[in-house]
Amino acid sequence: MEKTWRWFGKNDKIKLQTLLQIGVEGIVSALHDIPNGEIWSLEAVNDYKNYIESHGLCWSVVESLPVSEAIKYGGEDRDFLIENYIKSLENLGKAGITTVCYNFMPVLDWARTDLFHEWEDGSSSLYFNKARFAYFEIHILKREGAEKDYSEEILQKVEELKNILTEKDNHDLIDSVIVKTQGFVNGNIREGEVNPVEKFNNLLALYHGIDKNKLRENLKYFLEKIMPVCEEWNIQMCIHPDDPPFALLGLPRIVTNEEDIDWFLNAVDNLHNGLTFCAGSLSANLQNDVPKLAQKFAHRTKFVHLRSTNVFENGDFIEAHHLGGRGKLIDVIRVFEKENPDLPMRIDHGRLLSVDTDKGYNPGYSFLGRMLALGQIEGVMAAVQNEMNKKL
């Protein structure tokens, strides 16, 4: 597989020359300065592409070309926004950039309650605590009916948290859930927002009455509209699984397991409609056998994210070592190296090592933690390729 790296543009603290030096072959990035819903011009796309190529790398994958919320909930302006999306896809195709990762998660992209959960060795990683998220819903967002979505055991823990969490703790939780993890991903809420909770609740209100079937219908509508331009320019659309892979905030999630993936691939049965296989997201669902899913969907996978999680009985999960956890990345790599070896692959997330804590990297995207993981995964890939060669 092609070794790629998520890079956040010319202001990223990690420089392209450094990435070239550590063995990265392709860049995964986006035009982050263009607001959601606006057209990516051919000039802007080519300028970005040429900048990356001037450093000896290529722009392998767009991650992401964001899908506007109105497309997801079926707002009055969705057709206008889809037309803008189609024009952006056309300009990407004209520039020769043909793999596009996106997601269809309502309002909230990937969610964590702790961005710096410390390990015994002093490093830290992303963590999802179900009780803290429930507390966030019930006592910070004050979402009506939120209590019905949680067990009595979780609700008891929420009451305990209510008695011990401070205003600073509340602020940190807001920052973790809806500010720091969202601003650099989809731009719905950015750092410096005066009242992020109010804005977030306004976004949630837009999805009133949207259930799983309706969200599926809206995804199908979107995909059917964009497939012609994808066919014309050979663009590979690859949806990212929901992270975490279960319903949050009273909103449905529709890319969580085998049945969900089967549904959207069959709903729009076009080879340009594909999957970003994120072993980390899928591994956070205890019902998912990640290598089995890789085997089943290898032929419709366009892009691979390699990370893993440890999941606890109560539903909490934490980013795991890249050679451990439920993601079983060694087995996943065996599948893709055999079944679809030319795919772009990127290391996803990584521990924050103590020497990197003052660098200001985006959560989950530190340099040394990802470089360590890339070295581990590159070693696995070499070992798998050696196994395959011996069988020839």
Side-chain angles (χ1 to χ4, degrees):
M1 290 181 282
E2 179 191 14
K3 295 174 291 181
T4 68
W5 184 280
R6 191 171 193 186
W7 183 69
F8 296 99
K10 297 178 183 180
N11 294 324
D12 195 319
K13 295 177 175 62
I14 303 169
K15 302 306 176 186
L16 291 176
Q17 183 180 20
T18 304
L19 298 181
L20 184 68
Q21 291 170 357
I22 66 171
V24 171
E25 298 165 331
I27 294 300
V28 175
S29 196
L31 301 183
H32 295 285
D33 56 328
I34 297 180
N36 291 3
E38 293 190 9
I39 296 169
W40 290 14
S41 71
L42 181 58
E43 180 182 11
V45 169
N46 274 325
D47 176 72
Y48 202 61
K49 176 190 176 187
N50 292 337
Y51 181 82
I52 292 170
E53 290 179 349
S54 72
H55 290 79
L57 295 159
C58 63
W59 189 2
S60 300
V61 181
V62 173
E63 185 179 354
S64 296
L65 180 56
V67 179
S68 300
E69 297 296 335
I71 296 175
K72 297 174 189 176
Y73 65 76
E76 292 181 359
D77 54 348
R78 73 168 172 178
D79 286 331
F80 169 77
L81 290 166
I82 290 174
E83 282 303 311
N84 281 359
Y85 202 98
I86 288 170
K87 291 172 184 175
S88 295
L89 289 176
E90 182 178 19
N91 289 333
L92 286 166
K94 288 177 179 178
I97 302 162
T98 58
T99 302
V100 177
C101 175
Y102 70 104
N103 76 69
F104 218 76
M105 293 180 249
V107 182
L108 192 67
D109 203 290
W110 57 278
R112 301 293 187 274
T113 56
D114 187 350
L115 306 182
F116 307 103
H117 188 86
E118 191 166 324
W119 292 79
E120 290 181 359
D121 62 6
S123 64
S124 65
S125 57
L126 306 171
Y127 187 89
F128 182 89
N129 182 294
K130 202 163 190 177
R132 281 183 177 259
F133 196 89
Y135 171 87
F136 168 77
E137 284 204 69
I138 296 167
H139 293 296
I140 296 179
L141 290 184
K142 303 184 188 302
R143 182 174 72 82
E144 185 177 353
E147 296 89 347
K148 298 176 184 178
D149 292 343
Y150 294 99
S151 67
E152 286 299 323
E153 181 181 3
I154 292 291
L155 292 176
Q156 178 60 42
K157 291 180 180 178
V158 168
E159 286 306 302
E160 293 171 7
L161 289 171
K162 182 181 177 183
N163 293 326
I164 62 174
L165 293 186
T166 66
E167 282 302 312
K168 181 183 183 305
D169 293 327
N170 286 351
H171 178 271
D172 289 346
L173 194 52
I174 293 167
D175 212 34
S176 295
V177 176
I178 62 175
V179 180
K180 280 193 166 62
T181 54
Q182 304 306 308
F184 73 93
V185 175
N186 62 19
N188 277 340
I189 295 176
R190 295 188 179 276
E191 296 227 28
E193 189 74 44
V194 175
N195 196 334
V197 171
E198 180 180 358
K199 184 169 184 179
F200 192 76
N201 274 324
N202 289 340
L203 288 167
L204 289 179
L206 296 171
Y207 284 85
H208 181 71
I210 303 295
D211 61 10
K212 182 171 184 175
N213 288 333
K214 184 59 179 176
L215 192 61
R216 278 182 164 184
E217 288 176 17
N218 292 345
L219 173 59
K220 182 179 179 183
Y221 183 89
F222 168 69
L223 288 171
E224 287 174 340
K225 290 285 188 179
I226 68 171
M227 281 299 106
V229 74
C230 293
E231 291 174 345
E232 180 179 0
W233 294 101
N234 194 33
I235 292 171
Q236 310 301 318
M237 295 297 296
C238 41
I239 196 169
H240 189 287
D242 300 332
D243 183 13
F246 45 79
L248 294 172
L249 302 162
L251 301 173
R253 294 215 159 190
I254 57 174
V255 191
T256 66
N257 56 27
E258 182 177 356
E259 190 268 336
D260 286 344
I261 298 170
D262 265 329
W263 180 86
F264 86 82
L265 292 177
N266 292 322
V268 181
D269 192 11
N270 186 308
L271 290 179
H272 296 274
N273 171 31
L275 174 68
T276 294
F277 192 91
C278 180
S281 296
L282 293 169
S283 71
N285 183 336
L286 286 171
Q287 306 307 310
N288 287 336
D289 182 328
V290 181
K292 179 182 176 182
L293 293 178
Q295 185 68 51
K296 178 170 182 177
F297 297 113
H299 67 296
R300 293 291 290 271
T301 295
K302 313 296 183 180
F303 182 32
V304 179
H305 286 184
L306 293 179
R307 66 177 179 87
S308 184
T309 64
N310 288 322
V311 185
F312 307 103
E313 290 184 2
N314 63 0
D316 294 358
F317 64 88
I318 191 169
E319 303 288 338
H321 192 284
H322 278 71
L323 299 182
R326 296 197 71 256
K328 299 181 180 178
L329 298 187
I330 296 173
D331 293 333
V332 169
I333 290 168
R334 282 196 177 100
V335 169
F336 287 114
E337 287 294 332
K338 179 181 178 181
E339 304 292 341
N340 206 344
D342 296 327
L343 291 175
M345 168 281 297
R346 76 167 175 86
I347 294 301
D348 197 11
H349 299 173
R351 290 197 187 184
L352 179 65
L353 306 188
S354 55
V355 71
D356 267 353
T357 54
D358 61 347
K359 302 296 193 301
Y361 296 129
N362 288 329
Y365 291 96
S366 66
F367 176 64
L368 291 178
R370 282 190 290 164
M371 185 175 73
L372 169 62
L374 178 61
Q376 292 170 325
I377 294 303
E378 188 172 17
V380 174
M381 289 169 58
V384 168
Q385 289 162 5
N386 187 52
E387 289 174 357
M388 293 170 58
N389 290 337
K390 286 182 177 179
K391 292 178 181 179
L392 295 177

